Amino acid sequence: MKKLTITFLLLTLFAFEIADIRSIYTIPMQANALCASDYDLDGDMDIIINHGYNFQTGWGGTYLLKNNTYGHFSFLDSIFDNTGEWNINSDTVLSKTYPDVIYHSFDSIVILTTDGTNYTKHRYYVGPKVNEFDLGDVDGNGHLDVVFSSNNYHYWGVIYNQGEHSFSLPEYFELDYAPTDIACKDLNDNGRADIVKTGANTHIYFSSESGFEVQQLPHNAGHANISDLDNDGDNDIITFSDAYAAIFVHVYENLGNNVFDTVNNFTIYEGSSDFFVTDFNNDSLPDALFLSHDFNDKSLLLWYNEGNFQFGHQKVINLEHHGETRRFMHCADMDGNGYTDILITRQVFDTAYAPSYLEILFNDGHGNFVENPLSSVEIPNSKSKIQKLICFPNPFTDKTTIEFTLDQEYMVNLSIYNLKGEPIKTLTNSSSQKGTYTHTWDGTDQFGKEVSSGVYIISLVAGRQKQRCRIVYAK
């Protein structure tokens, strides 16, 4: 296999920390969208950034930062491409081991696979002027499909993953408006991912064996997210309009039988260009973080989910302006302390003005986002330690046993995560005495649903110590 890595000396000079602040890194020009996944399968979250081509550096493409444990990052690799769109994802689309990198380029979806050393690019034609895409198992065959949309040409479509690195020809659906966003996740528990489209209208496309059933929601929107907002086991919908002044947020409850009801509306007067929905305070309720258009004040607006679809207790998180023209964000636990952190890229085009920046805001679990990682690195030869975390059998098809030994009493959290750092299931979260413990995992999530085949992370936190191991579920 030919190695596609193209690493320039110029690029390696970009990945360094500023002063003693461990959360700000300089990166190549024209930084666009970013995501996080355990790209090297070592148990912690790495960072993947998409960059537009810059004539001053002569480079554009995918930029990888390795997590050297507990939220300290260094340059891993760079893969050249002459495009850098505003969307990037990482998941096991083609591979069932290392996560792939997925982005769109002009009229194609590009999937970058790795065996841990070499990279291979796979391009799949989808259609002209694609602006947005998402992943989901639309046809229920156990493989992630790609859904996409074109704002310019007023359509959305899907390519179906047939396995063995093969996709179907694109299936298109014309729209009478310009779509602005697309989200893909199962809304009715039938094993098929459904699609939410936003724009002048907001539509749900429910996937079934006979095709798509279309339902219109009452409010237009610029962006959509599908998430279990009330933690009842089914997915709800939250949308907001894209505007520089005020934005209008709409929350829809899943009532079952493909019925959704508007249960909350609220207004954010600072305007927003993007949002991320995830649990920031570990109360099992997804919160909503909005990326404000105001670069100088109220840069990030975090609305906590207070239950019953009510969002309040807004927290303002200010960011320093470094001369960027646009910001992109992603959220994941980067330092391994169990709380979701915030990652921001700053898009700068001119090397004479300023470099681009990556900034990480680490969540301390008490409503604060700070500049340095919060996990303690275990001191070698420490008197107090966790004996090796063992998972067997590995791979497994039915159930696996997880074993560990404590030398004293600890508060213990044993949880399962996917390669994107998203929580799947908590096996225990309680005080445990000195001794050896075993737990089993049967390949189901917190609601008892069977997860898809692939690689998962077993995370053990005992006091201020942490160990992780990866395990393969092959159903």
Side-chain angles (χ1 to χ4, degrees), residues 147-165:
V147 297
F148 51 89
S149 63
S150 172
N151 181 271
N152 302 78
Y153 285 92
H154 297 194
Y155 71 85
W156 76 272
V158 55
I159 52 174
Y160 294 101
N161 189 342
Q162 300 169 332
E164 301 299 325
H165 293 192

Side-chain angles (χ1 to χ4, degrees), residues 423-434:
I424 301 298
K425 191 173 191 176
T426 297
L427 301 181
T428 185
N429 187 29
S430 62
S431 179
S432 300
Q433 301 292 326
K434 175 182 177 180

Side-chain angles (χ1 to χ4, degrees), residues 280-315:
F280 284 97
N281 55 1
N282 287 8
D283 64 354
S284 299
L285 295 172
D287 310 301
L289 177 70
F290 294 86
L291 183 61
S292 172
H293 280 297
D294 189 343
F295 279 8
N296 298 305
D297 189 21
K298 298 183 178 181
S299 302
L300 295 169
L301 306 169
L302 176 55
W303 287 71
Y304 287 103
N305 188 339
E306 298 178 337
N308 196 31
F309 299 98
Q310 299 302 307
F311 289 81
H313 186 56
Q314 175 186 304
K315 179 177 181 60

Side-chain angles (χ1 to χ4, degrees), residues 160-221:
Y160 294 101
N161 189 342
Q162 300 169 332
E164 301 299 325
H165 293 192
S166 174
F167 280 85
S168 70
L169 293 174
E171 181 179 1
Y172 298 112
F173 301 87
E174 293 186 1
L175 301 169
D176 58 3
Y177 59 91
T180 54
D181 197 11
I182 189 166
C184 186
K185 199 172 287 186
D186 190 356
L187 290 168
N188 51 16
D189 298 327
N190 68 347
R192 293 169 172 260
D194 307 298
I195 293 94
V196 176
K197 283 295 313 111
T198 62
N201 294 297
T202 302
H203 285 104
I204 306 173
Y205 290 78
F206 293 102
S207 176
S208 68
E209 291 186 8
S210 59
F212 290 98
E213 174 190 331
V214 185
Q215 180 183 136
Q216 183 171 340
L217 294 176
H219 309 285
N220 60 19

Side-chain angles (χ1 to χ4, degrees), residues 23-25 27 31-32 34 49 289-291 299-300 317 319-320 324 326-331 341-347 356-361:
S23 64
I24 300 179
Y25 298 81
I27 54 177
N32 290 332
L34 75 162
I49 308 171
L289 177 70
F290 294 86
L291 183 61
S299 302
L300 295 169
I317 304 170
L319 300 173
E320 182 179 351
E324 64 268 25
R326 185 178 172 94
R327 292 171 176 167
F328 298 83
M329 72 174 176
H330 186 78
C331 301
D341 308 309
I342 304 170
L343 299 87
I344 302 288
T345 55
R346 319 297 187 90
Q347 187 180 72
S356 289
Y357 289 102
L358 163 72
E359 182 171 1
I360 309 170
L361 300 176

Side-chain angles (χ1 to χ4, degrees), residues 30-34 48-52 61-63 83-88 103-104:
Q30 218 162 315
N32 290 332
L34 75 162
I48 306 163
I49 308 171
N50 210 6
H51 292 259
T62 304
Y63 193 72
T83 186
E85 301 292 346
W86 290 358
N87 296 277
I88 192 167
Y103 58 94
H104 66 87

Side-chain angles (χ1 to χ4, degrees), residues 127-139:
K129 294 288 186 179
V130 169
N131 304 99
E132 301 285 345
F133 77 91
D134 202 358
L135 307 173
D137 186 5
V138 179
D139 57 1

